[in-house]
Structure formats: C-alpha cells, structure tokens
Amino acid sequence: MAAEIKFGTDGWRGVIAWDFTYENVRRVAQALADYINENAPSDENGKMAKVFVGYDHRFMSDLFAADMASILRSNKIDVTLSDGPVPTPMVSALTLHKFWLGIIVTASHNPAQYNGIKVKLAGHSAAARETKEIEQLVDANPVLFLFGQKAEQKNLTDLYRKYLITPALAKKIAALKGLIVADYMYGVTSGWMEKLLPNNKILALHAEHDPTFCGLQPDPSLKNLGELKKAVLAKKAAVGVAFDGDGDRFGLVDEKGNYVTPCLVAAVILDHLVKTKKLKGKVVQTLSMGYLPKRIARENGLSYEEVPVGFKNVAELMGLEEVAFGVEEAGGYAWKGGPSDRDGLGVALMWLEIMASTKKKPSELCEEVAKRYGASVYVRRDLPAAKPIDKAAFVEKMRKKLPKKIAGFKVAEISTLDGVKVYFENDEWLLVRPSGTEPLVRVYAETATKKDTQALLDFGEKLVAQYIK
C-alpha cells in the first residue's frame, strides 16, 4: 500500500507490512537520494559528501536498510552501510565529522509492530524544514534500484566509543562503589555499557536480541521499569539506568528503587554543569518538560525558551544560537561540550560522572535539587485516541473549554505552541496534546504535590474525553 509519507517529531514511522513496506521504504529512499543530490556539498575535486545508513534490532531493519543503501548507490551517492545494528546516537555522532548525512531504520521507543526511518544532519535530527523538503520529493521521481548496487559495509562502533568516553572518565566511574544495573529493554544498546566500563560493574537486564521486545514497549518510562527497580533493590546497586529501543532515550532508577523523572534528571545535570563547569548560554526545553530547569535558569541568570515537542526542535536551536543546555521530557538531553543529539549512553555516563565527582547517591542528588529549587511531582498519562485527530481543531476546541481556575489553581497564561498548555501562578502547569508519533492523546501535569498533580491530570483527561477510547 502506497502510504502518505509524513515525518513526525522524529522521523517517519509506520506499522510493518501495513504502511511500513518495501514499496514505501523505497519511495522514501528515492526521495532521500533526490534530496542528497540536490543539497549535499562537494569538495574541491567535485567529490560528493558521504552518507551513512544504520539500523536497529527491529524485525527486518537490516533488510530495509540494505535496500535503502542500494537505492542511494544506484543514484550515485557515496554511501556506507553499517555491518550490524547500531544506536541512533551513533549515527548522529558520525554526521558531526565523517558523514554529511545519516539515516537509520528504527522506530525508537514504539511497540514492536512499528518500524521507521530517522534522518540525521550535523549531529542531530533533520529539522522540520528539511524533512518537509524530503516529504515533497516523495514520488517526484521513480525509484532507481539497479541490480548489483550494494553498499560497502563497515563497523564504526569504535569511533562512537571514543566519542562517548575517555580513559580518564572510565577510570573515575569505575571507582564508584556498587553495581550499575543496565536495562537494555531488548534494544540496540545491548552490551554497550560493558564496552564503556568494566564488565564487573554492570548487571545487564533484557540484553537479548528480540525483535518483539518480549512483548514490552522499549520506552524507559515509569510503567516499563518494574524489573529494573526490583533488580536495583535486590542487588543493593548504586543506580539503575535504562535505554529505549534505539538508544536515544534514557531512564533512571535511584539506589532506593525509585524512578527519577526526566524533570529531576535534567535539573541535577543542569545544576551540576552550572556549578562546576560555569555553564553559560540559553536553556531550551520542549514545552512538555518540567519547571525545574526554568527555575535553575532564572536563579543563575540564564535565558530560557520553550519549543514544540520533539528533540529536533531543541537540537535545531542549539545549532543556531548559544544554547547551554537542551532537554525534552521523553528522556532526551544535550549540553554544551556534550552530546549534540539526545544520547542515552551519554546521559548515563554524565550521571555516573556526577555521582563519582560528588560522592553522592542518586537520591541525595535529587533531594539537594528539590531543596534548592522546589519539589516536582511530574506525571504524564497516555490515552489511546479513538480516531485520527486534526491538531488545529483540537487546539481550538480545548482552548475554548478552559475555565479561569482549574483544580484550585488560577490560570496565568495559555500557550498553543504545541497542543494546549496552561501555566498557573507558581510555575505549575497542565498540557494536553495529540502525540506526533503514536495514536495517543497525552496529558501532562506538574505541581509540588502528588494530590495536585493528579487533580490536574483528572481535569485534563475529562477535557479530552471525546477524543479517547
């Protein structure tokens, strides 16, 4: 079935054998070939910039990637195909110096029946204007797929390992007391913590290659980390870290077995960088992120900006302005001098470095931040959508339904940047928006107490009731 190709918050995704088919993947590959041939720079000898194609552990990802690479070769593009599954952040890192553009076949954290394609440029996801241009090139030309045009395959994982960690940092982290439990969620980061740190420091969970993810969704959010929490407690581990299916998202469990929200993870990292690295510049986050980074920016005289959901919006601004720190609520983080794109392994190493530098446990780091900048109880509810949602109509309808006071909080401001976000007087907030990657309506809220956050979530769920199953 020739589906309409639309890039969401990070790439194009579809259900395998329904809309993610050989036919549609080849259409996207030809559009990418046309985009590359129109836009890629050439050196002084007329040699075109290089392209890298990678793939994850999902069903048939390697075959789809090989097809894409062959189509690029057929279009006279200098392309290298990975010789095995690789994390998405590795593809991003390769586009900083070695390749002009990177492509990876992955559906990130989506369930096993999905697959997808992400495009990377200059170290991060292609911007909306770039993916729009690729969309417009779909079917502009027939697919050119010549017999025998196989791409050269290479193993470039050592470059990524050196990008992530230095021997000095590895030694510093290795001195931490206690085990590090790594939940790979059957994804493509399996075995990577052992490549970066001594094997006797790592207890691995869900490291097998299973394209079905053993029935789990490879998303390192609270609902999926029950086994990680149990393992941290059972082994009296120092910390638990988790990675999504393609390795760009990160989750954390403290030494007490408690899930640490991205709001607190971001706050600890940003506060550490400001205090120890004297970080300067703008703090940028997606509007679905919590208020602690905003408060840290405010207290330390840093400028602050919110962007629509999708880390590509953070990364694009980081490429254009003097941005010190960027974050999204789905577990993506980047900072000046660190990863240029969201990178689960990079964030895990940063968190371990902070623990090693401060000699403090994860719970102690979180308590310090909460004491200084205020408590944060952040929760997101994902509600299955009953039917496709017209986002513009959704936003207009939700905005009109809002009262001046919600669950005892006085409305201070309303934003329709991406969905409808309601800001209250002391930074508390409520957001309702259709997902850009899955058939869901998401409801988010953050206050200083569990009771107030739940009250805002309940209101948000009632507000969107007509759109959910």
Side-chain angles (χ1 to χ4, degrees), residues 76-124:
K76 299 182 179 180
I77 292 167
D78 187 352
V79 59
T80 297
L81 175 65
S82 176
D83 73 344
V86 295
T88 290
M90 174 177 151
V91 179
S92 297
L94 289 174
T95 64
L96 285 170
H97 304 293
K98 194 171 181 64
F99 296 90
W100 178 70
L101 182 139
I103 300 163
I104 183 161
V105 178
T106 180
S108 190
H109 65 288
N110 285 54
Q113 67 267 33
Y114 285 83
N115 214 328
I117 295 167
K118 293 184 178 183
V119 181
K120 302 293 181 177
L121 280 161
H124 53 76

Side-chain angles (χ1 to χ4, degrees), residues 22-147:
Y22 274 118
E23 178 188 359
N24 291 331
V25 168
R26 290 167 181 170
R27 292 166 64 216
V28 174
Q30 184 59 50
L32 282 162
D34 293 338
Y35 176 83
I36 293 163
N37 279 325
E38 287 181 13
N39 294 280
S42 299
D43 64 19
E44 58 186 14
N45 297 315
K47 190 173 181 180
M48 185 183 289
K50 296 180 180 181
V51 173
F52 182 81
V53 177
Y55 54 91
D56 69 0
H57 275 170
R58 287 175 183 266
F59 181 62
M60 294 178 66
S61 282
D62 56 338
L63 302 180
F64 287 121
D67 255 22
M68 295 190 74
S70 293
I71 290 168
L72 297 182
R73 280 271 297 166
S74 298
N75 282 270
K76 299 182 179 180
I77 292 167
D78 187 352
V79 59
T80 297
L81 175 65
S82 176
D83 73 344
V86 295
T88 290
M90 174 177 151
V91 179
S92 297
L94 289 174
T95 64
L96 285 170
H97 304 293
K98 194 171 181 64
F99 296 90
W100 178 70
L101 182 139
I103 300 163
I104 183 161
V105 178
T106 180
S108 190
H109 65 288
N110 285 54
Q113 67 267 33
Y114 285 83
N115 214 328
I117 295 167
K118 293 184 178 183
V119 181
K120 302 293 181 177
L121 280 161
H124 53 76
S125 294
R129 66 181 185 280
E130 292 157 339
T131 55
K132 188 68 176 176
E133 187 175 341
I134 294 166
E135 284 177 9
Q136 291 170 346
L137 289 169
V138 174
D139 301 328
N141 290 302
V143 175
L144 183 60
F145 196 170
L146 302 177
F147 178 76

Side-chain angles (χ1 to χ4, degrees), residues 298-459:
R298 186 189 298 150
E299 183 166 316
N300 290 280
L302 304 177
S303 58
Y304 171 84
E305 183 175 343
E306 289 187 348
V307 294
V309 172
F311 196 81
K312 67 181 182 182
N313 298 307
V314 174
E316 182 178 8
L317 203 58
M318 292 185 81
L320 297 172
E321 299 184 21
E322 188 69 13
V323 174
F325 186 79
V327 61
E328 67 163 356
E329 59 85 19
Y333 313 80
W335 54 90
K336 192 187 296 183
S340 60
D341 200 4
R342 58 184 179 185
D343 188 327
L345 291 165
V347 179
L349 293 173
M350 169 54 77
W351 189 272
L352 294 170
E353 181 183 359
I354 293 171
M355 289 174 60
S357 297
T358 61
K359 304 290 192 293
K360 290 177 180 174
K361 298 174 181 178
S363 64
E364 294 170 338
L365 293 168
C366 294
E367 286 165 6
E368 278 190 5
V369 164
K371 189 174 181 179
R372 184 168 180 182
Y373 299 105
S376 163
V377 179
Y378 169 95
V379 182
R380 185 185 88 188
R381 285 184 190 170
D382 292 345
L383 309 171
K387 57 186 177 180
I389 298 173
D390 180 315
K391 196 167 186 178
F394 173 91
V395 167
E396 183 61 20
K397 189 170 286 188
M398 294 303 102
R399 189 183 62 79
K400 287 181 177 178
K401 286 185 175 183
L402 291 172
K404 293 183 179 180
K405 190 178 264 192
I406 300 172
F409 291 98
K410 188 176 179 181
V411 174
E413 184 183 348
I414 297 171
S415 169
T416 56
L417 181 65
D418 187 349
V420 178
K421 184 172 184 179
V422 184
Y423 300 86
F424 303 104
E425 291 184 318
N426 192 34
D427 294 331
E428 298 94 347
W429 58 276
L430 167 71
L431 169 65
V432 294
R433 59 177 291 275
S435 169
T437 57
E438 300 169 81
L440 300 170
V441 178
R442 302 195 195 277
V443 180
Y444 316 70
E446 183 185 25
T447 74
T449 69
K450 184 176 180 180
K451 179 182 177 182
D452 286 337
T453 296
Q454 293 297 334
L456 289 178
L457 288 170
D458 291 342
F459 176 87

Side-chain angles (χ1 to χ4, degrees), residues 252 259-266 289 329 333 376-379 446:
L252 185 74
Y259 172 71
V260 181
T261 67
C263 304
L264 278 168
V265 171
M289 187 60 190
E329 59 85 19
Y333 313 80
S376 163
V377 179
Y378 169 95
V379 182
E446 183 185 25

